[in-house]
Amino acid sequence: MADTATPTVIRRADYAPPAFLIDTVALEFDLVPERTVVRNTMRVRRNPDAAHAAHFELMGEQLEFVSASIDGTPHSAVRTHEHGLSVDNVPDAFELTLVSLCNPTENTTLSGLYVSSDNFFTQCEAEGFRRITYFLDRPDVMATYTVTLRADKAAYPVLLSNGNLLDEGDLPDGRHFARWEDPFRKPSYLFALVAGKLVKLEERVRSGSGKEKLLQVWVEPHDLDKTRHAMDSLINSIRWDEQRFGLELDLDRFMIVAVGDFNMGAMENKGLNIFNTKYVLANPETATDTDFANIEAVVGHEYFHNWTGNRVTCRDWFQLSLKEGLTVFRDQEFSADMAGGATDEAARATKRIEDVRVLRQMQFAEDAGPMAHPVRPESYVEINNFYTMTVYEKGSEVVRMYQTLFGRDGFRRGMDLYFKRHDGQAVTCDDFRHALADANGRDLAQFERWYSQAGTPRVTVSTHYDAAQHRYRVTLSQGYGDAAPTARETQKGPLLIPFAIGLIGANGADLPLRLEGETGASGTTRVLEFTQTEQTFTFVDIAEKPLPSLLRNFSAPVIVEYDYSAEELAFLLAHDSDPFNRWEAGQRLATRELLSLAARAATGASLQLDDSVVNAFAQVLTDETLSPSFRELALMLPSETYLAEQMPESNPAAVHTARQFVRRRLAEALKNDWLAIYERHQTPGDYEATPDAGGHRALKNLALAYLAELADPADAVRLAGAQYDAANNMTDRAAALSALLTAATAGDGRRAQEALEDFYRRFEKEPLVIDKWFALQATQRGSAQRPVIDIVRALMSHPAFNLKNPNRARSLIFSFCAANPAQFHAEDGSGYAFWADQVIALDALNPQVAARLARSLELWRRFTPALREKMRGALEKVAAQVKSRDVREIVEKALG
Ligand code: B3K
Ligand code: ZN
């Protein structure tokens, strides 16, 4: 639908309770692909806590109105309009029945009711329910639902909806029905139905209190052999939530359904989670170690929403992080516990590092651009644009800070109180904060700023050692630097920052910590409560000048500025007892070196790599006391995107030159070590999806990737070719193919070409693997003779490409535009022209997906002048042509 007028801005400050409440909803569906009839009977009453309203206003989109009746009598005082339906002359309490039609086949937005592979699916969050029936489609309207589904039995043998199955049976004309009831009150965004030809893996388990639960994973018949891992992940999630938070599954039955056309990862509909196939289907031949880990995390995430999101939901969409930040935190903790239990700090750190890397690369960038917003946004045009890194990942960091401040037990007390107070309610981020504060006897008024201030805080650290007094002073100051454009919008005051610190002695061991005023030393890591703009903490009894280990385990989502020397960073990399900070030291060292090389590359100067960097990396590489997965993370250089953002003016070409130069130098200088690592970390025998085996594969494949960088990549081609042929799992096969593609840049590309062709033939019937095939090509290095844009454009006409399928669009278009910066930002602007064409094409099909792609140029102002102008041109072209509210909000903010 075209929105030509200025789009309506929705503001948090304008929240008002709904004029009416809906207590029960009875839905009847006659499912027909082009013409589905929906009959919706609601018990409605006036909200005693709201102002009187003359009409009952219901939202509706893309619906054809058929009829209305009140208390069984046809009602004609009804008016349809652009946003839905107005019902006049309504009593204080009444039963309203509405009949309407929709067209699931034509629905390419994948919001509301749609068809994918001839089956029916729904997606209602945030505002998709109004595309199914007229409704008060807002999360503070909670009702119990009964759902009757009727459809052709041969075409749609399986009929699912939320809750428990009440009844099913045959109808005349080859049709059948199923009736479902969800006993829990829920907001409309948690409604779901699925109908079609699906099969299931099912298992019965007992919950903590001994009740039997039926668990099902529903997929298309040919995918049944890829459901075991999702089922195991679900069972582990159920156990974990019982143990860690005392939260039990509340339904008799819990279902996961996989669908190939889906806008995001998955959806937590009550009792009927609907998942992108990418986060369900896995077996060793088709899924990588990363896929296995992601499935576990997403299954956990959606399951954990059953309490954080569904039992206690959001009052309005500004509170989105109440459920998303909290649930991301819970899934991160779940994954860490699965990898390392509560005590294996090194294994837990691996997960922490991965999460922080995502936060810094994506959320910090978001916070420095035109889409910057607080964890609890103040306004939006299209709510779907606010399912962001800030709401999810920074939101999770905000929740983590409560746990850092109060400990695991204190955090648990807060959660218990939160559920005690708010079970069954639609609440706010303030309610959550108050529960945490009250349960721990604390005033957390200042902590609210984490919800209301956008931008990434910077903490500047200075230290002073008084050798005579054995005192060590640490002065912290906080602010937002000048990189936060939204500083204008929100008033900024100092935050309560839990700042974890350790002090390291010359022998590499942690020093016992005693702050001035304390009676004795305790512990070696201290969480300082940093609450003022500037604050000094004095440690006493410090017999030697220490080296500070700052913000251990990344205790707050901030940027730390401290002037470490290269030697100090190498020392921390070798000795810090905090595994996160060990990794961090290596990243700082590498970042600094890479940025100075990039600055030289930008002027065309020659490049040289400091030996200290090579030595520091060599030490990590050969340190057999470190786990393989930690070494893999430590030896991976910061991404080109992250590095470019750290430059005064982003210059992707210079960053690429610098990073490639360093990769090749590390490959050459440590060639024998890489070869040795490659041999030593083989995992012969059957594939095991364990963190340990995955760590070996990751390190081995990193070695292979470095070897592929050599000027003469013959060894890499030989090893990768053999690995490709012999692989019994997708991790190794995809890594080998990737190494062959890299080596093809320097040498002869025939082996890579053969492997690419083989890969396609082998996996032609596995859409998720073909996505990898597209993505590997879109993210490859390319060359002057064969720029990747040409390859991508050619692949757009490959018979397997389909713009309507979001996974496929992401695998080719998004991979190129967001994960191949050196090629995307080609000087001639060809990448931007391609981007503009694709945003415009997607806008007409699927605004949510288009709006995601639209975000790839939002940091345009930070680039070198030549690129900046071309980016602006592409943005203007898009702004002039797109129609959806979704994309317009993004490009208009970008052009600002
Ligand atoms: N709650 C959904 C996301 C819905 C996105 C709507 N555009 C998945 C999740 O976060 O668990
Ligand atoms: Zn979520």
Side-chain angles (χ1 to χ4, degrees):
M1 220 186 302
D3 296 271
T4 37
T6 320
T8 317
V9 178
I10 319 282
R11 294 178 202 285
R12 184 173 72 91
D14 294 343
Y15 174 81
F20 292 86
L21 298 173
I22 301 174
D23 294 315
T24 65
V25 181
L27 294 170
E28 290 173 64
F29 288 86
D30 283 290
L31 293 164
V32 176
E34 288 80 28
R35 192 174 183 281
T36 288
V37 184
V38 182
R39 169 187 293 267
N40 168 8
T41 303
M42 299 165 264
R43 288 241 42 109
V44 187
R45 63 187 158 99
R46 289 189 182 272
N47 182 356
D49 299 326
H52 183 91
H55 328 277
F56 181 30
E57 287 291 345
L58 297 119
M59 295 91 156
E61 268 175 30
Q62 304 282 308
L63 298 175
E64 193 181 313
F65 176 74
V66 177
S67 68
S69 57
I70 286 188
D71 296 327
T73 309
H75 192 77
S76 57
V78 169
R79 195 168 44 87
T80 59
H81 52 74
E82 200 196 342
H83 303 291
L85 189 74
S86 282
V87 188
D88 291 345
N89 304 335
V90 296
D92 289 345
F94 55 100
E95 187 181 84
L96 175 65
T97 300
L98 298 170
V99 180
S100 59
L101 297 172
C102 61
N103 185 339
T105 298
E106 295 280 283
N107 183 1
T108 57
T109 66
L110 312 185
S111 163
L113 178 63
Y114 64 94
V115 173
S116 166
S117 296
D118 298 325
N119 297 327
F120 288 96
F121 297 91
T122 55
Q123 171 55 35
C124 292
E125 189 177 359
E127 298 179 337
F129 192 67
R130 65 189 64 181
R131 301 168 60 89
I132 298 175
T133 182
Y134 295 99
F135 204 72
L136 216 43
D137 188 14
R138 43 185 287 170
D140 55 355
V141 173
M142 297 172 79
T144 54
Y145 286 63
T146 316
V147 178
T148 305
L149 305 174
R150 289 186 287 264
D152 183 82
K153 191 172 181 176
Y156 309 103
V158 174
L159 303 173
L160 308 175
S161 191
N162 316 85
N164 301 317
L165 182 63
L166 288 184
D167 194 11
E168 59 187 335
D170 288 340
L171 296 169
D173 301 329
R175 295 170 65 76
H176 71 148
F177 79 96
R179 202 145 55 85
W180 294 81
E181 178 190 58
D182 181 353
F184 294 94
R185 288 190 333 129
K186 65 166 176 284
S188 50
Y189 80 85
L190 292 174
F191 165 81
L193 76 78
V194 171
K197 289 196 184 101
L198 298 168
V199 296
K200 63 180 184 293
L201 171 70
E202 92 181 355
E203 197 127 319
R204 278 166 217 276
V205 297
R206 281 200 185 279
S207 68
S209 67
K211 294 198 198 78
E212 191 178 89
K213 309 285 176 182
L214 176 61
L215 310 180
Q216 298 178 323
V217 179
W218 292 91
V219 296
E220 288 186 41
H222 54 266
D223 287 326
L224 195 57
D225 62 341
K226 306 184 198 81
T227 51
R228 189 65 245 170
H229 180 64
M231 176 63 86
D232 290 341
S233 301
L234 176 59
I235 294 170
N236 289 334
S237 305
I238 294 173
R239 297 277 168 260
W240 183 84
D241 220 9
E242 288 175 351
Q243 281 160 16
R244 179 90 182 253
F245 288 106
L247 299 171
E248 249 190 57
L249 174 56
D250 53 7
L251 289 163
D252 305 338
R253 173 179 184 139
F254 191 91
M255 298 170 276
I256 288 177
V257 186
V259 56
D261 295 286
F262 205 64
N263 282 346
M264 63 268 175
M267 178 63 211
E268 70 263 24
N269 317 298
K270 185 80 186 185
L272 181 59
N273 287 188
I274 298 182
F275 272 60
N276 188 324
T277 45
K278 183 173 163 62
Y279 296 106
V280 176
L281 305 179
N283 66 28
E285 289 76 43
T286 60
T288 62
D289 292 335
T290 306
D291 295 325
F292 275 85
N294 288 342
I295 289 168
E296 180 180 83
V298 178
V299 168
H301 181 98
E302 306 310 331
Y303 176 74
F304 303 143
H305 267 315
N306 191 51
W307 280 92
T308 50
N310 301 5
R311 287 289 286 253
V312 183
T313 195
C314 301
R315 185 192 72 175
D316 55 72
W317 292 120
F318 297 102
Q319 317 299 328
L320 184 58
S321 198
L322 171 76
K323 73 176 178 82
E324 295 305 346
L326 177 53
T327 305
V328 172
F329 170 73
R330 277 152 55 69
D331 85 54
Q332 291 178 348
E333 287 291 279
F334 166 60
S335 296
D337 285 345
M338 292 301 293
T343 50
D344 182 347
E345 286 307 325
R348 296 182 67 83
T350 305
K351 170 68 180 154
R352 185 75 186 125
I353 290 165
E354 286 163 356
D355 294 338
V356 173
R357 204 167 48 183
V358 170
L359 179 85
R360 280 213 284 234
Q361 191 166 310
M362 321 270 293
Q363 195 279 326
F364 282 19
E366 178 168 278
D367 238 346
M371 269 294 286
H373 55 275
V375 164
R376 183 187 58 200
E378 294 298 339
S379 67
Y380 59 77
V381 171
E382 170 51 61
I383 184 57
N384 286 317
N385 285 335
F386 284 80
Y387 286 74
T388 57
M389 294 310 275
T390 300
V391 165
Y392 277 66
E393 309 301 321
K394 186 175 181 180
S396 162
E397 294 299 321
V398 170
V399 172
R400 184 176 297 278
M401 287 189 284
Y402 293 107
Q403 182 172 277
T404 304
L405 289 166
F406 302 140
R408 272 196 189 205
D409 293 344
F411 185 75
R412 170 67 193 269
R413 274 195 300 279
M415 290 285 279
D416 290 350
L417 184 59
Y418 174 65
F419 291 116
K420 188 162 164 232
R421 283 182 179 170
H422 300 299
D423 188 14
Q425 301 174 7
V427 304
T428 65
C429 297
D430 286 335
D431 293 318
F432 183 75
R433 181 167 49 87
H434 291 140
L436 267 290
D438 295 348
N440 289 283
R442 280 285 301 260
D443 174 2
L444 286 178
Q446 185 181 6
F447 200 78
E448 191 194 0
R449 291 194 181 128
W450 280 111
Y451 292 91
S452 60
Q453 295 182 171
T456 307
R458 277 168 196 269
V459 176
T460 309
V461 184
S462 64
T463 56
H464 177 261
Y465 181 59
D466 180 339
Q469 303 285 322
H470 287 184
R471 290 157 71 87
Y472 188 64
R473 264 203 335 259
V474 179
T475 300
L476 306 178
S477 61
Q478 53 169 304
Y480 285 85
D482 34 299
T486 51
R488 315 169 229 121
E489 277 173 29
T490 40
Q491 228 200 319
K492 309 256 169 177
L495 296 153
L496 161 50
I497 298 177
F499 194 93
I501 185 171
L503 302 179
I504 303 174
N507 64 355
D510 278 340
L511 303 176
L513 299 180
R514 178 178 168 198
L515 280 166
E516 188 166 39
E518 293 177 347
T519 48
S522 73
T524 52
T525 297
R526 189 62 64 89
V527 179
L528 304 174
E529 290 196 15
F530 171 35
T531 56
Q532 334 255 286
T533 307
E534 184 172 302
Q535 212 168 334
T536 296
F537 298 87
T538 305
F539 293 94
V540 296
D541 295 342
I542 305 292
E544 53 174 317
K545 185 179 177 196
L547 187 57
S549 169
L550 304 168
L551 202 75
R552 280 188 159 171
N553 204 34
F554 200 71
S555 61
V558 302
I559 295 167
V560 174
E561 288 174 350
Y562 181 69
D563 212 4
Y564 284 115
S565 69
E567 294 68 41
E568 288 173 331
L569 289 173
F571 188 84
L572 289 172
L573 176 59
H575 298 292
D576 200 323
S577 68
D578 183 65
F580 178 86
N581 267 3
R582 259 186 108 159
W583 171 80
E584 176 73 342
Q587 294 297 297
R588 274 180 190 262
L589 194 63
T591 302
R592 194 146 73 183
E593 187 70 15
L594 284 160
L595 288 177
S596 93
L597 290 169
R600 286 181 65 81
T603 66
S606 68
L607 305 183
Q608 214 177 344
L609 180 62
D610 202 277
D611 275 347
S612 66
V613 177
V614 179
N615 294 339
F617 273 75
Q619 222 178 356
V620 174
L621 180 60
T622 53
D623 184 344
E624 292 289 326
T625 66
L626 292 169
S627 74
S629 52
F630 180 85
R631 279 188 275 166
E632 190 253 346
L633 287 167
L635 293 162
M636 198 190 298
L637 299 176
S639 75
E640 290 182 15
T641 306
Y642 176 77
L643 291 166
E645 276 153 19
Q646 311 307 306
M647 298 179 82
E649 264 181 358
S650 296
N651 183 335
V655 165
H656 181 71
T657 306
R659 194 169 178 278
Q660 277 319 114
F661 169 77
V662 172
R663 281 175 67 83
R664 179 164 290 184
R665 279 287 297 121
L666 290 174
E668 280 163 356
L670 307 175
K671 179 177 175 189
N672 291 331
D673 294 314
W674 292 121
L675 284 167
I677 291 276
Y678 184 80
E679 295 308 332
R680 189 161 335 119
H681 293 277
Q682 295 289 327
T683 49
D686 286 347
Y687 172 86
E688 277 181 274
T690 59
D692 185 55
H696 288 292
R697 278 187 290 272
L699 184 58
K700 173 197 70 183
N701 288 326
L702 182 80
L704 186 60
Y706 268 102
L707 290 167
E709 300 287 357
L710 290 166
D712 173 7
D715 282 330
V717 173
R718 179 176 49 79
L719 295 172
Q723 176 170 322
Y724 179 88
D725 292 336
N728 69 351
N729 65 84
M730 180 50 70
T731 305
D732 284 341
R733 200 183 302 275
L737 178 53
S738 169
L740 287 171
L741 285 167
T742 302
T745 326
D748 149 24
R750 264 176 310 181
R751 191 66 184 86
Q753 202 49 42
E754 272 168 33
L756 267 179
E757 283 162 20
D758 174 84
F759 193 91
Y760 187 82
R761 273 196 308 276
R762 221 181 253 267
F763 297 110
E764 207 168 356
K765 297 205 162 57
E766 299 289 352
L768 294 171
V769 184
I770 296 304
D771 289 339
K772 296 183 195 301
W773 184 79
F774 279 105
L776 276 166
Q777 296 180 80
T779 52
Q780 68 187 305
R781 193 79 38 91
S783 62
Q785 303 87 305
R786 196 147 184 246
V788 180
I789 181 74
D790 293 353
I791 300 172
V792 170
R793 282 203 184 271
L795 286 171
M796 294 286 294
S797 4
H798 190 280
F801 185 75
N802 171 12
L803 190 63
K804 286 189 184 161
N805 175 256
N807 285 357
R808 197 51 53 87
R810 284 186 280 256
S811 72
L812 182 59
I813 302 171
F814 287 51
S815 295
F816 177 68
C817 296
N820 196 344
Q823 294 287 313
F824 176 61
H825 294 284
E827 248 171 280
D828 60 3
S830 53
Y832 308 148
F834 172 76
W835 167 87
D837 292 347
Q838 303 317 318
V839 173
I840 293 165
L842 278 166
D843 182 64
L845 292 171
N846 187 331
Q848 282 187 46
V849 173
R852 291 282 152 157
L853 181 63
R855 295 197 56 187
S856 354
L857 288 198
E858 72 186 20
L859 293 178
W860 66 279
R861 285 177 204 276
R862 303 172 67 94
F863 282 75
T864 54
L867 293 179
R868 205 188 295 161
E869 285 319 306
K870 296 202 166 74
M871 290 163 115
R872 185 218 296 271
L875 278 161
E876 281 167 350
K877 174 175 174 190
V878 168
Q881 293 192 39
V882 293
K883 302 207 165 47
S884 73
R885 201 165 56 200
D886 310 57
V887 180
R888 290 184 49 171
E889 179 174 28
I890 301 295
V891 293
E892 281 165 17
K893 280 189 173 148
L895 288 166

